[in-house]
Amino acid sequence: MKLASQYNKVNLFISLIVLILTGVIYYVVIHFILTEKLDRDLRIEEDEISSYAKSYRKLPLPADFHDQKVSYRLVKKKDTNGRKFSNCVYLNEKENEKEPGRSLVTYLQVNHQIFEVTIIKSRSEAEGLIKIIFLISLVIIAFLLLALFLINRFLLSNLWRPFYNILEQIKTFNLSGKSEINTELTKIDEFTELNEAVSSMSQRVKQDYKELKSFTDNASHEMMTPLAVINSKLDTLLQTEGFNDQQGELIEDIYLAVGRLSRLSHSLLLLAKIENNLIKNEELIDLKELLNQKSRQFQELIQSNEISISLSLEEKMVSMSKYLADILINNLMSNAIRHNLKSGQIKVLLNSERLVFSNTGIAETLDQTRAFERFNKTNSSEGMGLGLAISRQICNLYHFKLSYRYEKGEHFFTIEF
């Protein structure tokens, strides 16, 4: 979830809670004020009845007005409980319907007789007013939430634009490219600091990359020259005579070690070039023709290991460097041969969606999290552990997906186009 969306969600939720609590408090206060007003009116009516009884020594006639009702009942002293306010429902005889009311029950002594005086005032108007206030509050809450939503969605999105702009440039930042990160002027201090930090960091990273690239290129080229000289001298030395068996073995070990070091240097240089997209010259490659060609080239090695190979190939054209396509197929084919069993088998499947190499091998799955890491290899492997890493980098360069799985004694390497 995006930061702006999360902020909007939290902001709206908190605003809703605050508005609801405010509305409840407002409703309770208004209800209390209106109830107090009714109680005050009831007390005034009680005082008028009491004053009338003292003046005329009798109670006024019971009355039943539009919004008020007064009634008397003769009681005994033991039945008196003191004055009491309460909500009630009474019958409005004029409207002939029941209405909510607020009642005051009090007791008066007139001519040595005790009367229970019940004064009821209608709460209809008060309840109606409360309902109107409640509906108005709901409308205001809904309006405020809508306003907050629109403000957060449009105004805050505009405020966050510099952040998303710099984020998008970070995503598309390419060390090998010449484009620079262009920051957007903003009045927000935090975004200004972020822009300055990202610009400074990109400059440092580019400078470090240039220095590292220069060192890698120079080191690789400088290594290739002495290695070529050593190979040449060893070839000359091997052609001379007069070596005993022990000396011949030592020279052979040196020759093999130098060859391994030369291949390692070449592989690391190739990885650096692939990662930095320094190999161009893309063209349409016919994978079916290339796979048939590689199967013929590896035929002697396949036969020497008594391995059977079956090809199921459909037409498939891809746009990539011919040099890298050759390396990719070479790595996968040699990997299937090198890690196979005696009298094992290799299957190659090609269609419009994927290329699959499957081979018999050790009855143990590879660690899928490390299968394509550099220098990762099994104990029985004689390689340098860079073949699959190079293959993964080539696939990433052209947005292919290289994956591995083990199933029923066979190892599968799949490239999805």
Side-chain angles (χ1 to χ4, degrees), residues 62-162:
D64 190 359
F65 301 103
H66 175 67
D67 60 346
Q68 178 177 302
K69 182 177 182 179
V70 179
S71 61
Y72 310 112
R73 184 168 67 92
L74 187 64
V75 295
K76 296 180 180 180
K77 187 174 182 178
K78 63 178 182 179
D79 295 330
T80 59
N81 296 317
R83 65 203 298 265
K84 180 177 68 173
F85 293 93
S86 63
N87 291 329
C88 65
V89 177
Y90 75 102
L91 178 64
N92 187 332
E93 295 181 358
K94 289 186 177 181
E95 300 290 339
N96 196 27
E97 61 181 16
K98 292 184 178 181
E99 292 184 359
R102 180 76 172 171
S103 68
L104 168 61
V105 178
T106 186
Y107 299 91
L108 290 177
Q109 184 172 354
V110 180
N111 298 328
H112 305 291
Q113 290 181 315
I114 298 176
F115 292 90
E116 179 188 80
V117 180
T118 304
I119 309 170
I120 301 175
K121 279 192 170 290
S122 174
R123 286 189 297 122
S124 297
E125 292 185 2
E127 292 291 334
L129 182 60
I130 290 174
K131 288 180 180 178
I132 292 173
I133 293 173
F134 179 72
L135 291 175
I136 292 174
S137 300
L138 284 181
V139 172
I140 292 174
I141 289 174
F143 176 77
L144 289 175
L145 288 177
L146 179 62
L148 282 172
F149 175 77
L150 294 176
I151 290 172
N152 291 337
R153 184 174 183 85
F154 297 104
L155 181 60
L156 291 182
S157 296
N158 187 56
L159 291 176
W160 280 95
R161 189 179 62 204

Side-chain angles (χ1 to χ4, degrees), residues 170-231:
I170 291 173
K171 287 179 180 179
T172 57
F173 181 68
N174 186 4
L175 282 173
S176 60
K178 295 183 180 180
S179 60
E180 300 289 340
I181 291 182
N182 299 315
T183 58
E184 181 178 344
L185 292 177
T186 175
K187 296 181 180 179
I188 301 175
D189 294 340
E190 287 80 3
F191 289 159
T192 301
E193 292 179 12
L194 175 64
N195 291 341
E196 292 174 354
V198 171
S199 297
S200 175
M201 181 193 66
S202 66
Q203 293 296 330
R204 291 197 304 270
V205 169
K206 277 201 167 187
Q207 184 61 34
D208 292 343
Y209 165 74
K210 289 179 181 178
E211 294 176 359
L212 181 61
K213 179 176 176 294
S214 177
F215 169 77
T216 303
D217 293 342
N218 293 336
S220 298
H221 288 300
E222 290 298 326
M223 286 177 62
M224 295 301 290
T225 301
L227 285 173
V229 172
I230 293 171
N231 273 323

